[in-house]
Amino acid sequence: MASMNPQIRDNYSPLEELIMQALRRHGEFTPSTVDGDVSLMMLEFANEVLEEVNSHPYWTGLELKPYVSIQDARPVADNIIVLGLIFHYAVQQHSSKAQPASEKFFRTMNQTLYRAKHGTERPVFSQSLR
């Protein structure tokens, strides 16, 4: 599922909603009170995530253009953007959550993009492995 917010948009969620989800998951329990500077910083982090997706060997889509507004959406699975935001935010905050966030972000990005490129079918072997 590409969108974690089907109540907002069927395909891909606006960055603004993904920022709020990332901040909540990181531990900010009132993300609606963050100021504009935090949103702009998160927009920069989201653009870093798009660059990581663009350069990923499993990415088969067109080049993703940077976000120019937090109301924008891009054709990338929401969970990749959210986990990337959490990772970059944790690094910026010098949080102990940075290492686990890094592992989860890159594992999820690899798995999601692999499935998008190759599907979910397992190879069938003609001989049994004994």
Side-chain angles (χ1 to χ4, degrees), residues 4-101:
M4 294 168 42
N5 301 293
Q7 74 280 10
I8 297 173
R9 197 179 280 176
D10 288 336
N11 292 325
Y12 306 100
S13 300
L15 180 58
E16 183 174 30
E17 185 59 34
L18 301 177
I19 289 170
M20 295 300 123
Q21 289 174 344
L23 291 171
R24 276 192 303 271
R25 287 188 191 181
H26 187 267
E28 175 62 55
F29 295 106
T30 55
S32 59
T33 64
V34 300
D35 63 18
D37 288 339
V38 173
S39 293
L40 290 176
M41 178 182 66
M42 296 298 268
L43 183 138
E44 293 170 13
F45 292 158
N47 285 332
E48 289 183 39
V49 173
L50 293 180
E51 279 303 310
E52 290 160 343
V53 171
N54 277 331
S55 64
H56 197 283
Y58 296 148
W59 176 248
T60 59
L62 298 173
E63 180 182 357
L64 298 164
K65 301 297 181 198
Y67 289 101
V68 293
S69 163
I70 62 172
Q71 284 77 36
D72 288 349
R74 294 292 179 265
V76 177
D78 288 357
N79 63 341
I80 292 175
I81 301 295
V82 169
L83 293 172
L85 291 174
I86 294 169
F87 163 61
H88 287 288
Y89 186 68
V91 169
Q92 190 272 341
Q93 295 290 309
H94 302 287
S95 170
S96 62
K97 298 175 184 180
Q99 182 64 35

Side-chain angles (χ1 to χ4, degrees), residues 79-80 83 102-115:
N79 63 341
I80 292 175
L83 293 172
S102 167
E103 294 166 4
K104 188 169 186 178
F105 167 55
F106 287 108
R107 181 182 64 245
T108 300
M109 181 170 59
N110 288 338
Q111 290 171 339
T112 303
L113 295 178
Y114 181 89
R115 278 194 308 274

